[in-house]
């Protein structure tokens, strides 16, 4: 099986783009250098990661401080 985007020489990434609470992203492919959403077929929020993400804890604590 081959990737149709590879076959057509389209700029893309085979990794999953993970979007964090501060809207920054990182990719599961260590060779990925361009974190644009359009380059990634798979995009998830960090809250969907098994075990969660430390940035969501920081965001929640920050929100609690603003409310109190």
């Amino acid at each position: 099986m081959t990737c149709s985007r590879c076959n057509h020489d389209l700029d893309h990434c085979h990794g999953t783009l993970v979007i964090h609470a501060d809207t920054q992203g990182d990719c599961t492919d260590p060779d990925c250098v361009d974190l644009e959403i359009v380059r990634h077929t798979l995009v998830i929020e960090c809250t969907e990661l098994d075990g969660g993400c430390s940035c969501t804890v920081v965001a929640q604590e920050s929100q609690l401080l603003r409310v109190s």
Side-chain angles (χ1 to χ4, degrees):
M1 179 184 252
T2 60
C3 172
S4 64
R5 289 184 177 188
C6 288
N7 289 340
H8 291 96
D9 291 327
L10 296 174
D11 183 30
H12 67 289
C13 178
H14 293 147
T16 300
L17 184 65
V18 180
I19 305 296
H20 295 281
D22 63 359
T23 68
Q24 295 293 338
D26 64 322
C27 183
T28 59
D29 182 348
D31 295 328
C32 181
V33 294
D34 187 350
L35 301 175
E36 292 294 323
I37 289 176
V38 297
R39 294 188 68 246
H40 295 83
T41 303
L42 300 172
V43 180
I44 63 170
E45 292 185 14
C46 67
T47 55
E48 298 176 64
L49 296 172
D50 285 342
C53 179
S54 61
C55 80
T56 57
V57 172
V58 171
Q60 289 171 349
E61 289 174 353
S62 175
Q63 182 64 26
L64 287 174
L65 289 174
R66 279 188 234 139
V67 172
S68 58

